[in-house]
């Protein structure tokens, strides 16, 4: 089908409307949004205003949108984790191609049901594992495939979640409870499981995991902590997790700084300081981090064994200043290390001079996840317009990362026993 590819968005939240839809603003010749659904009237109003979507094609629920005849080439499924598969199955029945926000589902049987339906309908399903579309990981994968370090022996990766991101998303926010959404190793770090599998170039055989919710618990609340940060809390000045700091005064995440779209846009559509204060007084994001109903881990490690005697470690930790990822790969002929935030890699062939690979672009287009959000959209639009059948993050490849993540969580919950993925 020719450009532009048309899209309907099921779930106009931070990912559907703020991460993927803006690709149309810079590439209207490739992408056109023609319909959407969200239960919040203000989000539908934003969809209409930004992308000229007719009011009659803006629906108050996923069910209402999916009851219509097919309205576009592609359905972006960006609802909550446990709605993904039901929405995607219904959209496939209508004839849509699917761009599916991760995770697919915390239930492996649902993942398999979606694989089966995709094969039956012959539709394209691409999962939003956006890290594969970044210049950083693309360059690293290319170096490894070309043998820059010889045979890969070990991979060590760290996801630095950042203290404020953990508080926002996984203590106060939508992904704080695994029974309502997904375990954190799946919701946050299926990206990383996918990248480790891609870089290793071999299937994962066994995993073992350790981790816990150690800090964000009621018994760790300092004396004088109030249930809500604005309710006369006597610990505000010394507490880095104070909601007023994170959402109002921080130059990085607050409404007075650079956080107007995210995270503040999660608290209020078209956020203002007045709206954010009201949200902190009445909504979940104003709660003390020690007085929430969260149960997901705040740190976790995973040991992984891949075929070919490749071994990897992965660490996810809330307790970092910044939100970024670092990695080191060792091989028989050298090593590579890098920081995704810096967008640089350092290649050290044994016995030779170190080489820095600078992946920054002074005037290049940039988007969230190190450019991966727009990289995904560019690749996906091209795939659909050219009649392709398998994207870089197709469903079969993405399910592997979910198996790895869910096995890691099972290991953590079962005394950190080693789990054979073939038997899982």
């Amino acid at each position: 089908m020719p450009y532009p590819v048309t899209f309907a968005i099921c779930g106009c939240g931070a990912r559907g409307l703020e991460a993927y839809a803006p690709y149309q603003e810079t590439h209207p010749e490739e992408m056109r949004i023609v319909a959407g659904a969200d239960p919040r009237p203000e989000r539908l109003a934003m969809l209409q205003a930004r992308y000229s979507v007719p009011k009659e094609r803006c629906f108050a629920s996923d069910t209402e949108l999916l009851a219509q005849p097919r309205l576009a080439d592609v359905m972006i499924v960006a609802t909550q984790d446990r709605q993904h598969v039901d929405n995607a199955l219904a959209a496939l029945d209508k004839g849509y191609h699917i761009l599916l926000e991760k995770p697919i589902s915390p239930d492996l049987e649902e993942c398999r049901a979606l694989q089966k339906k995709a094969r039956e309908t012959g539709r394209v399903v691409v999962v939003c594992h956006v890290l594969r579309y970044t210049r950083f990981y693309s360059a690293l994968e290319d170096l490894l495939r070309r043998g820059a370090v010889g045979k890969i022996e070990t991979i060590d990766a760290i996801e630095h979640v950042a203290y404020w991101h953990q508080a926002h998303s996984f203590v106060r926010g939508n992904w704080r409870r695994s029974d309502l959404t997904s375990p954190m190793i799946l919701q946050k770090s299926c990206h990383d499981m996918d990248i480790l599998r891609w870089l290793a170039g071999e299937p994962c055989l066994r995993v073992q995991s350790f981790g816990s919710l150690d800090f964000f618990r009621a018994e760790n609340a300092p004396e004088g902590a109030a249930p809500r940060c604005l309710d006369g809390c006597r610990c505000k000045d010394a507490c880095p997790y104070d909601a007023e700091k994170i959402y109002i005064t921080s130059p990085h995440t607050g409404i007075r700084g650079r956080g107007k779209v995210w995270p503040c846009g999660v608290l209020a559509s078209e956020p203002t300081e007045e709206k954010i204060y009201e949200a902190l007084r009445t909504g979940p994001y104003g709660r003390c981090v020690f007085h929430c109903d969260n149960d997901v881990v705040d740190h976790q490690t995973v040991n992984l064994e891949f075929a070919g005697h490749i071994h990897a470690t992965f660490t996810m930790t809330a307790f970092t200043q910044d939100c970024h990822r670092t990695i080191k790969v060792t091989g028989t002929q050298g090593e590579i290390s890098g920081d995704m935030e810096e967008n640089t890699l350092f290649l050290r062939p044994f016995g030779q001079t170190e080489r820095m690979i600078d992946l920054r672009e002074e005037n290049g287009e940039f988007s969230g996840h190190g450019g991966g959000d727009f990289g995904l959209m560019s690749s996906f639009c091209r795939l659909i317009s050219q009649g392709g059948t398998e994207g870089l993050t197709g469903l079969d490849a993405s399910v592997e990362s979910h198996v790895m993540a869910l096995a890691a969580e099972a290991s953590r919950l079962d005394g950190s026993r080693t789990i054979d993925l073939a038997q899982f």
Side-chain angles (χ1 to χ4, degrees):
M1 60 186 67
Y3 281 139
V5 179
T6 57
F7 286 77
I9 305 178
C10 191
C12 297
R15 300 304 296 164
L17 193 59
E18 307 292 351
Y20 306 129
Y23 188 72
Q24 177 178 318
E25 297 172 17
T26 53
H27 295 84
E29 75 285 357
E30 296 181 23
M31 176 184 187
R32 183 161 62 92
I33 302 164
V34 299
D38 199 279
R40 297 162 294 179
E42 67 272 18
R43 302 301 289 188
L44 295 180
M46 292 168 65
L47 182 67
Q48 292 177 55
R50 293 182 185 179
Y51 302 106
S52 301
V53 177
K55 186 175 181 179
E56 63 271 18
R57 288 198 169 193
C58 293
F59 303 95
S61 70
D62 51 353
T63 304
E64 194 176 341
L65 170 58
L66 289 163
Q68 309 301 314
R70 184 167 66 89
L71 301 176
D73 304 318
V74 175
M75 178 73 75
I76 297 178
V77 175
T79 47
Q80 288 297 300
D81 295 4
R82 292 179 183 268
Q83 297 173 269
H84 286 176
V85 169
D86 283 347
N87 292 157
L89 290 172
L92 287 171
D93 279 334
K94 292 285 183 177
Y96 289 98
H97 299 294
I98 307 292
L99 186 65
L100 181 63
E101 182 54 60
K102 61 81 188 172
I104 302 165
S105 170
D107 184 327
L108 280 180
E109 289 306 313
E110 286 196 344
C111 294
R112 293 190 183 100
L114 186 58
Q115 284 180 294
K116 182 174 182 290
K117 176 68 74 172
R119 294 188 187 108
E120 290 172 353
T121 60
R123 300 286 88 184
V124 174
V125 179
V126 166
V127 179
C128 298
H129 277 143
V130 296
L131 296 187
R132 288 201 192 194
Y133 300 88
T134 63
R135 299 186 75 222
F136 179 82
Y137 286 111
S138 295
L140 177 55
E141 194 269 346
D142 181 61
L143 286 166
L144 296 177
R145 294 293 84 80
R146 290 194 286 114
V149 298
K151 177 190 174 295
I152 299 170
E153 296 291 348
T154 68
I155 308 174
D156 299 294
I158 303 176
E159 182 173 10
H160 310 249
V161 177
Y163 71 97
W164 56 267
H165 188 359
Q166 181 80 19
H168 170 70
S169 296
F170 303 102
V171 178
R172 295 173 169 127
N174 288 338
W175 294 280
R176 67 192 183 276
R177 293 186 60 87
S178 59
D179 59 333
L180 300 177
T181 55
S182 304
M184 190 166 175
I185 192 67
L186 178 66
Q187 207 296 318
K188 187 75 175 77
S189 302
C190 66
H191 276 322
D192 304 274
M193 298 297 105
D194 178 67
I195 283 295
L196 289 171
R197 167 66 179 88
W198 192 45
L199 296 179
E202 297 285 354
C204 186
L205 304 178
R206 300 193 301 165
V207 301
Q208 178 193 35
S209 184
F210 303 83
S212 66
L213 171 59
D214 177 62
F215 184 62
F216 298 104
R217 306 165 64 97
E219 58 266 33
N220 292 326
E223 186 177 350
R228 303 185 73 85
C229 296
L230 296 181
D231 288 350
C233 178
R234 301 202 305 272
C235 308
K236 281 176 65 69
D237 291 346
C239 181
Y241 304 99
D242 171 48
E244 190 172 22
K245 287 190 182 81
I246 291 175
Y247 297 110
I248 301 290
T249 62
S250 168
H252 303 291
T253 61
I255 190 67
R256 296 176 187 172
R258 299 200 300 266
K260 292 180 175 64
V261 174
W262 191 84
C264 290
V266 176
L267 278 67
S269 299
E270 307 287 3
T272 63
E273 190 167 319
E274 181 181 4
K275 287 182 180 179
I276 297 302
Y277 267 119
E278 178 61 21
L280 297 185
R281 282 190 290 269
T282 61
Y285 294 96
R287 294 179 295 176
C288 171
V289 293
F290 301 107
H291 294 297
C292 293
D293 60 340
N294 55 302
D295 68 2
V296 300
V297 300
D298 51 28
H299 67 284
Q300 187 166 353
T301 64
V302 185
N303 298 320
L304 307 103
E305 182 178 27
F306 294 89
H309 304 286
I310 299 170
H311 296 89
T313 65
F314 171 71
T315 298
M316 181 282 298
T317 176
F319 306 107
T320 61
Q321 176 71 27
D322 299 312
C323 183
H324 65 123
R325 287 172 166 91
T326 54
I327 194 164
K328 182 172 184 177
V329 183
T330 69
T332 56
Q333 301 296 319
E335 66 179 33
I336 304 175
S337 62
D339 185 325
M340 183 180 165
E341 181 72 14
E342 297 295 328
N343 232 357
T344 52
L345 292 166
F346 292 88
L347 174 61
R348 303 178 185 91
F350 296 153
Q352 301 180 42
T353 303
E354 174 185 279
R355 177 160 67 99
M356 186 185 86
I357 301 165
D358 190 342
L359 300 166
R360 294 167 293 186
E361 287 185 301
E362 288 187 8
N363 299 311
E365 181 178 80
F366 198 75
S367 65
H369 288 100
D373 291 348
F374 276 15
L376 165 70
M377 294 306 298
S378 173
S379 175
F380 184 77
C381 286
R382 184 169 60 253
L383 176 73
I384 299 302
S385 71
Q386 295 177 355
T389 59
E390 184 71 18
L392 183 59
T393 54
L395 194 53
D396 291 344
S398 294
V399 166
E400 283 194 66
S401 69
H402 287 52
V403 172
M404 292 161 62
L406 290 170
E409 183 68 357
S411 169
R412 183 186 75 83
L413 293 172
D414 192 19
S416 301
R417 70 179 174 91
T418 300
I419 291 183
D420 186 316
L421 265 65
Q423 299 173 8
F424 180 64

